[in-house]
């Protein structure tokens, strides 16, 4: 295995997370009193029973907040502690501080919340129908859809549902805060966004940001769940520390984390797709009802990414797509790997699958006919550049021997009555940059110590995605220092200020570039010192080149002169520079150039570049049981020039498998009262190692990306989208059992839905396949889905 500081230390158990920090002697533990229902109005908090049982416990409510009781970012609709109406089950009503974690929880459980119950809405379509929108609808358009539909040879319409998804980061939400001087605090938080925690805590405490320091060493996974939603927990710890002048820790157990925190947004959508006789798509229309949950959180930005990715990797000249932020009384749904794009892409892929049924043209032919190519324009007005979709699709079809595969599947399906196979292809085009322009900025602070060791501070948070490893490599390359001399510091608001979350797959793009710029400053100074040194040794040997005339380079820990080793080593050069009173530290700032967007007209260039690729997935379904296996996945992916190949392969595998969880396995359901049904990991099923198919990953060769650091490309989220082909592979296997039946578009493709699809066929076709009669009764498929209560 290659040297990788964090992964080696992780394996040795030597990395430290929030719960590994030695607990100070005077530590208090915090727990929240959650709202007891999905929608209500707070009448009174009754703590007498809790106080009697736990006399030392401290109870804090909204009235105890010294600053502003508001932590919402996009929309100020998120009080830290409920001050009137609550909008979801598990919303924090009060905070309890006690001497132990268990005491805090037990005391919280004894607090009585007297409430006026209000009506609960869990279905986004119902919320939209009642005008319960968090912000007005948003529409992107190009061309003229009305005119285009009139000219289409085929028009298909339909409905698509996709379920939410729980992040299941290994480290649950948590933070510790220590009281500081002058009303300040120091917070260690498991967050993707330390500056966000800092800002919110400063507001809640009513102190300037320079009184709040937030540090994140690394986090045990985030997947978007700690972009905004680590903030309340950091603020609770800070509030407790400020009011008691003792350190305070809050750390959720899994059940609490599952019950109280946001997840991927469920969506329910309608589409209309029009094609000409040859199968070219002329027009696409869609309405996306996003179940946003009880408050805005990141929902507007997530919806924006859905609209930007509505056409995925296809070119369509006439488009109208509208998104609705539907306020449902469920946990506030939030960022999750893909950030709204998977939900949008599933809709257009479903539309194409339906068009394949209507036209008799195979889906893969429709897909290939309509791929984006160089010179096209996205519906939001950005030109398509360095397009590598067609190349990826051609390669993946060749790699899996698509035609041969189809024949093998047909022959398998011909011989087998109880098992059927299916395959599906999906192209990829994913935009890189935060869709909110302002967020595309960060800084770096690099110190070279006088022994030659290097420390890098940036806004990047390591969450297992390898951003630290990549920045270490970038730093080593930029300085010419050996990579094992570089250490990545924990992320701290006091070393690099005013950053945004490590998210949008842009952690390395932004922070790596800032580190590179800081290193360039130090390197320039070191090169001057090196030239001086070399000119002095020239003088000793009476060859006499002036320092200014010497061209040198530093590479792999040694100074080179005209490309040849000089014997002057990195450590000695740094020591010399220090002796000569040269500044060995530098700060740099990076903001992505060239981004602009006109919100009024919904046109612009919101992304620095796009990531392309394609995948083929195969599956086998058990026709009697509705169970299936995902067998193989072929991925051809545009990773630019990877900074660390192993990290990028890991991200591709991990993203794909996590996507499979969303597309076919993880069943996030709420009942009519807005209560999460599978609220432990014994009932909420995520992919395990046995579920993972054989994966064949190929990165495109010769694919430099001049728009990002060292010609690399962002990798964190895009491969997740390949998993959508897993849904269609299973659907195609099921349809092989009854080719004349229409498919359904309701993810995840659980065995229950598969079996319902098959048993409905049984009812319609008695005697098929073995005369078994349909047993499922009520249709699980019809009764499940987005935010809808299931029977
Ligand atoms: N990989 C691991 N191991 N753990 C994570 O939490 N988060 C994903 C992705 N890969 C994540 C991960 C998400 S949602 C994003 S946006 C990116 O990593 C963020 O990191 P990057 O910008 O450095 O790629
Ligand atoms: N991606 C991820 N996180 C974000 C984004 C985005 O585009 N915008 C705001 N937060
Ligand atoms: Mo990732 S959803 O942008 O944290």
């Amino acid at each position: 295995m290659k040297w990788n500081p964090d992964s080696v230390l992780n394996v040795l158990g030597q990395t430290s997370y929030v719960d590994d920090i030695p607990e100070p002697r005077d530590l208090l533990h915090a727990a929240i009193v959650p709202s007891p229902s999905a929608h209500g109005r707070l009448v009174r908090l009754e703590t007498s029973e809790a106080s009697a049982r736990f006399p030392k416990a401290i109870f804090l409510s909204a009235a105890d907040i010294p600053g502003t009781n508001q932590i919402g970012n996009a929309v100020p609709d998120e009080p830290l502690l409920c001050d009137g109406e609550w909008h979801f089950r598990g919303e924090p009503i009060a905070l309890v501080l006690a001497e132990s974690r268990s005491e805090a929880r037990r005391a919280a459980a004894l607090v009585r919340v007297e409430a006026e119950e209000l009506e609960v809405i869990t279905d986004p379509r119902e919320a939209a129908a009642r005008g319960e929108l968090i912000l007005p609808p948003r529409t992107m358009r190009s061309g003229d859809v009305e005119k285009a539909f009139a000219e289409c040879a085929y028009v298909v319409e339909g409905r698509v549902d996709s379920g939410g998804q729980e992040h299941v980061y290994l480290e649950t939400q948590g933070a510790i805060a220590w009281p500081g001087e002058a009303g300040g605090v120091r917070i260690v938080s498991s967050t993707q966004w330390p500056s966000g925690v800092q800002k919110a805590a400063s507001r809640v405490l009513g102190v300037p940001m320079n009184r709040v320091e937030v540090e994140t060493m690394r986090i045990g996974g985030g997947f978007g769940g700690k972009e905004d939603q680590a903030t309340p927990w950091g603020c609770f710890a800070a509030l407790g520390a400020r009011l008691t002048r003792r350190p305070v820790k809050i750390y959720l157990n899994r059940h609490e984390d599952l019950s109280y925190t946001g997840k991927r947004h469920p969506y329910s959508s309608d589409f209309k797709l029009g094609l000409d006789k040859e199968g070219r798509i002329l027009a696409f229309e869609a309405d996306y009802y996003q179940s946003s949950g009880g408050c805005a959180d990141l929902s507007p930005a997530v919806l924006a990414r859905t609209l930007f990715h509505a056409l995925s990797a296809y070119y369509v000249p006439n488009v109208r797509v509208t998104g609705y932020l539907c306020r449902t009384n469920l946990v506030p749904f939030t960022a999750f790997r893909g950030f709204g794009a998977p939900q949008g892409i599933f809709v257009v892929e479903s539309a194409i699958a339906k068009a394949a049924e209507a036209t008799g043209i195979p889906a893969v032919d429709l897909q290939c006919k309509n791929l984006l190519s160089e010179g096209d324009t996205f519906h939001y007005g950005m030109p398509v550049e360095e397009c590598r979709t067609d190349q990826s699709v051609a390669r993946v079809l060749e790699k899996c021997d698509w035609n041969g595969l189809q024949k093998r599947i047909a022959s398998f399906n011909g011989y087998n009555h109880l098992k059927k196979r299916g395959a599906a292809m999906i192209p990829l085009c994913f935009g890189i940059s935060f869709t909110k322009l302002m967020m595309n900025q960060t800084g770096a602070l690099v110190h070279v110590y006088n022994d030659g060791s290097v420390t890098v501070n940036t806004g990047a948070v390591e969450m297992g995605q390898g951003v630290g490893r990549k920045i270490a490599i970038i730093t080593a390359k930029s300085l010419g220092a050996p990579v094992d001399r570089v250490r990545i510091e924990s992320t701290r608001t006091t070393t690099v200020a005013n950053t945004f979350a490590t998210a949008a797959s842009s952690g390395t793009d932004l922070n790596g570039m800032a580190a590179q710029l800081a290193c360039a400053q130090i390197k320039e100074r070191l090169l001057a010192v090196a030239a001086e040194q070399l000119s002095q040794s020239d003088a000793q040997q009476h060859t006499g080149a002036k320092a200014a005339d010497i061209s040198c380079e530093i590479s792999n820990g040694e100074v080179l002169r005209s490309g040849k080793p000089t014997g002057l080593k990195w450590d000695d050069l740094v020591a010399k520079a220090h002796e000569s009173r040269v500044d060995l530290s530098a700060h740099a700032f990076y903001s992505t150039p060239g981004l602009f967007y006109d919100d009024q007209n919904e046109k612009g260039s919101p992304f620095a570049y796009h990531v392309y690729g394609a995948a083929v997935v195969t599956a086998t379904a058990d026709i009697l049981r509705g169970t299936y296996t995902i067998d193989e996945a072929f991925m051809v992916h545009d990773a630019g020039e990877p900074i660390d190949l192993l990290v990028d392969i890991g991200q591709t595998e991990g993203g794909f498998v996590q996507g499979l969880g969303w597309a076919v396995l993880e069943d996030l359901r709420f009942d009519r009262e807005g209560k999460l049904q599978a609220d432990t990991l014994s009932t909420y099923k995520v992919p395990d190692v046995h579920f993972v198919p054989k994966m064949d990953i190929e990165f495109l060769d010769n694919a430099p990306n001049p728009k990002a650091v060292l010609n690399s490309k962002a990798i964190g989220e895009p491969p997740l989208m390949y998993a959508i082909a897993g849904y269609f592979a299973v659907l195609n296997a099921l349809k092989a059992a009854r080719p004349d039946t229409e498919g359904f578009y309701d993810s995840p493709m659980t065995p229950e839905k598969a079996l319902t699809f098959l048993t409905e066929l049984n009812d319609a076709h008695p005697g098929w396949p073995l005369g078994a009669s349909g047993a499922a009764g009520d249709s699980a498929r019809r009764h499940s889905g987005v935010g809808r209560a299931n029977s």
Side-chain angles (χ1 to χ4, degrees):
M1 194 175 86
K2 270 201 205 167
W3 175 79
N4 178 338
D6 234 58
S7 62
V8 171
L9 294 181
N10 265 332
V11 169
L12 295 173
Q14 291 173 4
T15 43
S16 159
Y17 298 83
V18 166
D19 204 33
D20 297 317
I21 295 173
E23 296 187 348
R25 197 169 33 82
D26 54 345
L27 182 71
L28 283 170
H29 294 266
I32 64 158
V33 176
S35 68
S37 67
H39 195 192
R41 193 171 289 114
L42 182 59
V43 177
R44 210 169 66 90
L45 271 177
E46 178 54 65
T47 57
S48 55
E49 197 185 337
S51 296
R53 175 80 179 77
F54 299 99
K56 279 167 54 188
I58 299 162
F59 301 88
L60 304 175
S61 68
D64 298 304
I65 290 174
T68 311
N69 181 23
Q70 183 51 249
I71 60 167
N73 285 306
V75 180
D77 66 350
E78 199 177 343
L80 180 65
L81 285 171
C82 177
D83 54 2
E85 194 174 321
W86 66 74
H87 295 93
F88 65 96
R89 190 180 285 269
E91 190 171 329
I93 304 290
L95 189 68
V96 181
L97 306 174
E99 301 293 326
S100 74
R101 206 179 283 183
S102 121
E103 219 170 280
R105 288 196 176 114
R106 284 184 293 151
L110 290 178
V111 174
R112 281 219 333 272
V113 180
E114 286 177 24
E116 180 191 330
E117 291 300 328
L118 299 171
E119 198 187 9
V120 173
I121 301 178
T122 57
D123 178 347
R125 287 179 186 261
E126 187 186 340
R130 304 238 204 134
E132 284 288 340
L133 298 181
I134 287 173
L135 294 174
R138 187 166 169 182
T139 297
M140 294 183 187
R141 304 170 198 277
S142 68
D144 182 342
V145 274
E146 296 308 320
K147 191 161 150 267
F149 276 122
E151 290 161 6
C152 287
Y154 303 97
V155 174
V156 290
E157 290 179 74
R159 166 174 168 156
V160 181
D161 290 288
S162 61
Q165 185 179 21
E166 166 56 40
H167 300 89
V168 199
Y169 25 62
L170 287 182
E171 182 192 27
T172 49
Q173 303 274 7
I176 309 185
W178 289 262
E181 293 174 358
V185 286
R186 181 168 172 274
I187 308 168
V188 169
S189 161
S190 181
T191 180
Q192 290 173 241
W193 187 19
S195 291
V197 177
Q198 179 198 20
K199 179 142 197 145
S202 95
R203 244 188 268 147
V204 165
L205 300 185
V207 298
M209 283 172 77
N210 67 7
R211 304 306 310 144
V212 180
E213 179 183 17
V214 179
E215 173 170 6
T216 303
M217 298 162 294
R218 65 179 62 66
I219 66 179
F223 305 112
K226 297 172 183 171
E227 181 171 338
D228 266 24
Q229 295 215 4
T231 296
W233 315 106
C235 289
F236 286 134
L239 179 68
R242 162 72 181 277
L243 296 180
T244 62
R245 303 213 42 79
R246 287 172 65 176
V248 171
K249 172 170 173 177
I250 188 160
Y251 187 57
L252 302 190
N253 65 27
R254 184 63 67 180
H255 171 68
E256 292 167 332
D257 196 299
L258 289 166
S259 311
Y260 306 162
T261 72
K263 301 143 203 331
R264 185 190 296 286
H265 292 81
Y267 273 61
S268 186
S269 311
D270 297 318
F271 68 81
K272 184 172 170 188
L273 181 82
L275 310 95
D276 69 10
K277 272 209 306 294
E278 281 76 44
R280 264 186 304 267
I281 303 173
L282 300 181
F284 180 72
E285 259 189 342
D287 290 286
Y288 306 89
Y289 300 93
Q290 178 201 69
S291 179
S292 309
C295 64
D297 190 85
L298 284 159
S299 297
V302 170
L303 187 70
R305 194 170 276 276
T306 303
L307 297 177
F308 284 127
H309 291 78
L311 280 307
S312 188
Y314 304 106
Y315 174 68
V316 179
N318 304 287
V319 177
R320 194 275 305 159
V321 286
T322 304
Y324 302 85
L325 294 158
C326 309
R327 191 193 297 280
T328 46
N329 298 111
L330 301 173
V331 288
F333 293 103
T334 192
F336 196 134
R337 208 173 195 169
F339 206 76
Q343 293 95 323
I345 293 173
F346 183 51
V347 174
V348 71
E349 290 294 344
S350 297
I352 290 176
K354 189 148 188 180
E357 286 174 352
T359 59
I361 306 174
V364 72
D365 294 353
L366 290 179
Q367 290 172 307
C368 290
K369 256 192 187 123
N370 291 286
L371 289 178
L372 277 173
S373 46
E374 199 74 18
D376 288 341
T377 303
F378 289 102
H379 58 291
Y380 45 89
M382 183 173 173
V384 178
E385 281 171 354
E386 308 258 358
C387 184
R388 295 167 184 162
T389 297
D390 30 11
Q391 176 190 352
S392 306
V393 168
R395 177 66 192 133
V396 84
L397 293 178
E398 172 188 321
K399 209 175 153 61
C400 72
D401 176 25
W402 180 262
N403 292 331
L405 181 66
Q406 291 301 309
K407 285 196 195 107
R408 286 194 298 280
I409 289 175
S411 130
F412 178 94
N413 290 345
Y415 281 109
N416 290 278
H417 293 291
L418 301 183
K419 287 210 164 155
K420 298 287 178 190
R421 282 199 179 144
M425 189 277 282
I426 186 166
L428 173 74
C429 170
F430 188 86
I432 299 301
S433 288
F434 284 95
T435 56
K436 195 164 163 55
L437 187 68
M438 171 192 177
M439 295 177 77
N440 297 286
Q441 56 170 314
T442 191
L445 174 65
V446 177
H447 298 307
V448 177
Y449 291 99
N450 58 42
D451 67 348
S453 64
V454 182
T455 270
V456 188
N457 299 269
T458 68
V461 169
E462 177 60 49
M463 56 190 110
Q465 87 281 38
V467 69
R469 169 74 183 155
K470 288 184 177 178
I471 292 175
I473 292 171
I474 293 164
T475 301
K477 282 199 173 147
S478 315
L479 289 173
V483 70
D484 59 7
R485 302 294 276 151
V486 181
R487 190 186 130 75
I488 303 299
E489 256 303 336
S490 62
T491 314
R492 256 170 302 151
T493 54
T494 40
T495 51
V496 179
N498 306 320
T499 59
F500 284 94
T502 302
S505 305
S506 60
T508 301
D509 286 21
L510 296 172
N511 296 283
M513 198 67 106
Q516 192 184 49
L517 292 171
C519 290
Q521 299 172 40
I522 299 174
K523 175 129 170 223
E524 196 181 310
R525 298 174 209 149
L526 287 175
L527 282 174
V529 173
E532 192 55 47
Q533 282 299 109
L534 295 176
S535 117
Q536 277 174 23
S537 61
D538 279 3
Q540 279 162 13
Q541 290 155 29
H542 308 289
T543 48
K546 285 207 209 87
D549 299 333
I550 295 177
S551 97
C552 49
E553 188 37 60
I554 318 171
S555 173
N556 283 324
E558 184 166 2
V559 176
L560 308 179
R561 181 177 184 172
S562 311
K564 293 200 194 69
T566 59
L568 180 54
K569 298 291 189 194
W570 168 258
D571 290 359
D572 299 325
L573 173 65
V574 169
K576 265 284 168 248
H578 183 54
E579 222 175 276
S580 319
R581 302 190 295 172
V582 167
D583 181 3
L584 292 173
S585 298
H587 166 264
F589 174 79
Y590 181 72
S591 66
T592 316
L595 305 179
F596 63 93
Y597 199 72
D598 171 352
D599 294 310
Q600 287 305 307
N601 295 306
E602 297 283 7
K603 295 279 181 227
S605 255
F607 300 117
Y609 59 88
H610 290 79
V611 170
Y612 303 99
V616 167
V617 178
T618 68
T620 307
D622 179 321
I623 298 307
L624 283 186
R625 293 176 182 83
T627 54
Y628 50 79
T629 53
I630 305 292
D631 302 327
E632 284 176 300
F634 300 87
M635 293 172 246
V636 173
H637 186 76
D638 168 22
E641 288 178 1
I643 292 171
D644 186 306
L645 192 61
L646 274 186
V647 168
D648 283 5
I649 291 171
Q651 285 293 297
T652 307
E653 292 175 344
F656 173 70
V657 172
Q658 195 167 33
L660 274 184
W662 169 69
V664 303
L665 183 68
E666 298 177 36
D667 203 357
L668 189 86
R669 290 197 212 180
F670 297 88
D671 67 14
R672 282 196 188 81
E673 273 69 55
K675 186 174 181 308
L676 184 64
Q677 293 200 306
D679 58 3
T680 66
L681 288 190
S682 53
T683 49
Y684 185 79
K685 196 158 60 168
V686 294
D688 62 11
V689 70
H690 305 290
F691 188 82
V692 174
K694 192 173 139 227
M695 289 182 276
D696 180 337
I697 295 168
E698 180 178 313
F699 290 151
L700 289 180
D701 267 344
N702 277 326
N705 174 30
K707 300 279 174 63
V709 59
L710 297 181
N711 285 313
S712 65
K713 269 201 173 182
I715 189 96
E717 296 166 285
L720 183 137
M721 265 56 70
Y722 294 141
I724 292 170
Y727 180 95
F728 290 100
V730 177
L731 181 61
N732 289 341
L734 298 177
K735 281 177 56 178
R738 286 311 300 201
D740 52 338
T741 307
E742 275 190 19
F744 64 98
Y745 310 104
D746 180 4
S747 79
M749 169 66 82
T750 56
E752 288 94 323
K753 288 178 201 166
L755 193 61
T756 304
F757 177 76
L758 293 166
T759 49
E760 276 177 353
L761 290 179
N762 256 350
D763 293 343
H765 304 269
W768 179 90
L770 287 181
S773 69
D778 220 353
S779 158
R781 169 155 59 87
R782 273 191 256 106
H783 289 266
S784 67
V786 180
R788 268 173 291 149
N790 38 294
S791 40

